[in-house]
């Protein structure tokens, strides 16, 4: 709750001003980043972990193909994030440059570009600006707003919020977002600490 107290003005700007909205927001950013200002590492020690995390890019690929990415964050990011989310091909190195970052782990050149336009902060030329605490809060709140998550928080819809943040869209299945049980536990914790 320290972040909320410290940046209350920014929270208010994005209409995160009810206990339920704040609890949902804090639970999600804690689940996504542990409230640490980090960029996504993409460092995997085994082919299985890599394939399990990024099923689609490695679907129907041989073990020897997958192994070339083990312990190589830059190569992994440039492969799994190539040609999507506004990123160029593997050679552009956009995948690594625009990998997940901040409290909500926003990913892709489109994310950083749209965030820059909305905030006036040049995240495109310097994505690491998302590692500054105030910028990370602003980015997470902006993401929250543009995805209509206040409305879902008002309905106490943890599953839909988790899907949108973690999967990128709402799914039919309940609890399929990565770490859903943890998100649920965190929400209970934040609800109890706010009310």
């Amino acid at each position: 709750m320290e972040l909320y107290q410290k940046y209350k003005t920014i929270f208010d700007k994005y209409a995160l001003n009810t206990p339920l909205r704040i609890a949902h927001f804090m639970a999600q950013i804690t689940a996504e980043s542990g409230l640490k200002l980090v960029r996504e590492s993409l460092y995997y020690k085994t082919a299985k972990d890599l394939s399990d995390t990024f099923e689609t890019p490695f679907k129907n690929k041989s073990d020897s193909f997958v192994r070339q990415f083990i312990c190589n964050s830059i190569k992994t990011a440039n492969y799994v994030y190539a040609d999507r989310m506004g990123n160029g091909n593997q050679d552009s190195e956009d995948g690594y440059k625009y990998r997940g970052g901040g409290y909500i782990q926003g990913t892709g050149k489109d994310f950083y570009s749209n965030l820059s336009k909305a905030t006036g902060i040049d995240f495109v030329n310097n994505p690491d600006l998302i590692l500054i605490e105030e910028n990370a809060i602003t980015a997470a709140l902006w993401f929250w707003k543009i995805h209509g998550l206040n409305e879902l928080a008002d309905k106490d819809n943890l599953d839909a919020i988790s899907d949108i943040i973690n999967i990128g869209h709402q799914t039919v299945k309940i609890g399929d977002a990565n770490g859903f049980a943890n998100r649920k536990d965190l929400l209970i914790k934040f609800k109890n600490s706010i009310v």
Side-chain angles (χ1 to χ4, degrees):
M1 292 310 301
E2 180 182 323
L3 282 174
Y4 171 70
Q5 296 301 330
K6 189 172 182 180
Y7 297 107
K8 186 178 182 312
T9 304
I10 301 173
F11 274 73
D12 287 344
K13 177 181 174 184
Y14 289 93
L16 261 90
N17 50 13
T18 69
L20 193 55
R21 289 177 179 185
I22 296 163
H24 273 278
F25 178 81
M26 293 303 298
Q28 292 294 333
I29 67 170
T30 302
E32 286 291 303
S33 67
L35 296 181
K36 294 182 176 114
L37 291 170
V38 295
R39 300 283 310 273
E40 184 180 13
S41 102
L42 290 114
Y43 185 88
Y44 293 88
K45 293 182 179 180
T46 70
K48 180 179 180 349
D49 288 345
L50 190 52
S51 296
D52 287 349
T53 302
F54 295 101
E55 291 177 28
T56 302
F58 292 110
K59 187 175 185 176
N60 300 322
K61 302 290 185 189
S62 69
D63 283 345
S64 61
F65 178 83
V66 178
R67 278 195 297 274
Q68 70 178 305
F69 297 95
I70 294 172
C71 301
N72 190 331
S73 301
I74 295 171
K75 189 172 185 174
T76 299
N78 289 332
Y79 174 71
V80 300
Y81 293 143
D83 298 313
R84 62 190 189 107
M85 301 178 294
N87 294 341
N89 64 23
Q90 283 180 257
D91 293 335
S92 73
E93 299 189 356
D94 285 349
Y96 188 73
K97 183 175 184 180
Y98 300 113
R99 69 195 184 281
Y103 291 128
I104 209 123
Q105 292 294 293
T107 306
K109 189 174 184 179
D110 285 345
F111 171 83
Y112 286 93
S113 179
N114 291 330
L115 178 62
S116 294
K117 289 174 191 164
T119 64
I121 301 166
D122 189 1
F123 293 103
V124 174
N125 289 309
N126 190 354
D128 284 339
L129 288 174
I130 204 149
L131 298 177
I132 297 170
E133 186 178 80
E134 183 175 350
N135 293 344
I137 281 292
T138 299
L141 289 166
W142 169 80
F143 178 94
W144 191 268
K145 179 182 178 183
I146 66 163
H147 288 91
L149 300 182
N150 275 340
E151 292 77 12
L152 293 172
D154 292 343
K155 295 175 184 173
D156 207 11
N157 192 336
L158 175 65
D159 181 66
I161 294 170
S162 300
D163 284 352
I164 290 167
I165 289 174
N166 184 254
I167 299 171
H169 62 277
Q170 194 170 349
T171 66
V172 176
K173 186 176 176 186
I174 302 295
D176 57 339
N178 185 33
F180 183 77
N182 182 48
R183 292 170 197 272
K184 189 174 184 178
D185 291 344
L186 287 166
L187 179 59
I188 292 166
K189 174 188 154 192
F190 281 108
K191 281 181 177 180
N192 289 336
S193 70
I194 294 171
V195 178

